[in-house]
Amino acid sequence: MLTVQHLEKHFENTKVLNDISFSLEEGQALSIIGSSGSGKTTLLRCLNFLETPDAGTITVQDKVLFDADHHANCSEKEIRKNRLHFGMVFQSFNLFPQYTALENVTLARELMAKDTGESKDAIRAAGMELLDQMGLADRAGHYPHQLSGGQQQRVAIARALALHPDILCFDEPTSALDPELTGEVLKVIRGLAEQKTTMIIVTHEMAFARDVADQVIFMDGGFIVEQGDPKQVIDHPQEERTKQFLARFAENN
């Protein structure tokens, strides 16, 4: 489904991503772990075309979406089209406060309706179905300020799913939530994994990463230090830096 090769990103003189390469099969979940500042969020932002990599390629289903050597020729319209392959769920929800839960979920499809010809009723019905899947059918008319953090994040997940992305990306989806609400959101993501949704999950929930992911990547200083089966990376890490991170994480939790 996804192949990333030799991806690099610099901010002025700071190299944030160094030679990042990995692949993801359809229906798999990939968890990315690592300390703050290790490059995890920047990697997701590059995949979603919110940042432009300085080197490397991004390929989805054998189609090269990004090649740094030819990016200068890529139009804004092409970038927007490429972005549709990825759904993004942010740690701070990023819902539009002036729209209801249902309106947040349906907005993007309504904006595209002039190109797709999809009816407003069909879009609304699909939005309600997604909210029902998230356990929020009775909150469709509520505005974000009337929802708990966990409910807002579930609306954000429904919104990301609304455009049927090939790959769903989560950037620490529970970091802004208290433990009780964290469970709500993790349950939804676990359900998506059981449905074989292709996902990339940046997370600090190690037990969740071990249980749900098909593979885990540990990043440090912009490099992939270790990647593989979650039980191997989390329970039996090979690299010293991975061992140090997991030991410190265990101490703090």
Side-chain angles (χ1 to χ4, degrees), residues 54-65:
D54 295 295
T57 61
I58 299 169
T59 304
V60 174
Q61 291 186 324
D62 298 324
K63 181 186 177 186
V64 178
L65 300 188

Side-chain angles (χ1 to χ4, degrees), residues 79-204:
I79 292 170
R80 284 199 301 270
K81 187 177 177 184
N82 289 342
R83 198 173 278 153
L84 295 174
H85 291 278
F86 297 88
M88 184 76 162
V89 179
F90 301 89
Q91 55 185 294
S92 53
F93 323 136
N94 286 11
L95 298 179
F96 294 107
Q98 72 273 34
Y99 295 128
T100 64
L102 180 58
E103 288 167 343
N104 266 281
V105 172
T106 59
L107 179 62
R109 268 172 82 162
E110 286 176 1
L111 291 172
M112 294 173 65
K114 64 179 183 295
D115 296 322
T116 63
E118 195 173 20
S119 73
K120 193 157 187 173
D121 285 346
I123 293 169
R124 183 182 172 84
M128 282 301 302
E129 195 174 310
L130 281 168
L131 286 176
D132 186 44
Q133 185 183 340
M134 298 296 133
L136 293 171
D138 60 338
R139 298 288 192 272
H142 286 55
Y143 290 88
H145 75 271
Q146 297 173 307
L147 302 172
S148 71
Q151 290 168 339
Q152 289 186 61
Q153 193 60 296
R154 283 184 280 155
V155 172
I157 295 170
R159 178 179 63 182
L161 287 167
L163 293 177
H164 305 295
D166 294 314
I167 300 154
L168 194 57
C169 299
F170 295 88
D171 185 12
E172 299 202 18
T174 61
S175 65
L177 303 175
D178 65 36
E180 186 177 348
L181 300 180
T182 291
E184 291 178 14
V185 173
L186 294 182
K187 183 179 178 184
V188 167
I189 300 173
R190 196 181 295 273
L192 292 170
E194 288 168 359
Q195 293 167 25
K196 296 300 179 186
T197 305
T198 310
M199 297 186 288
I200 300 174
I201 310 160
V202 169
T203 184
H204 55 267

Side-chain angles (χ1 to χ4, degrees), residues 3 10 12 17 24 38 58 62 65 73 82 94 99 108 110 150 159 203-204 207 209 225 227 229-230 244-245:
T3 303
H10 315 151
E12 295 181 350
L17 296 177
L24 182 62
S38 60
I58 299 169
D62 298 324
L65 300 188
N73 304 323
N82 289 342
N94 286 11
Y99 295 128
E110 286 176 1
R159 178 179 63 182
T203 184
H204 55 267
V225 175
Q227 60 181 311
D229 174 88
Q244 291 169 358
F245 167 77

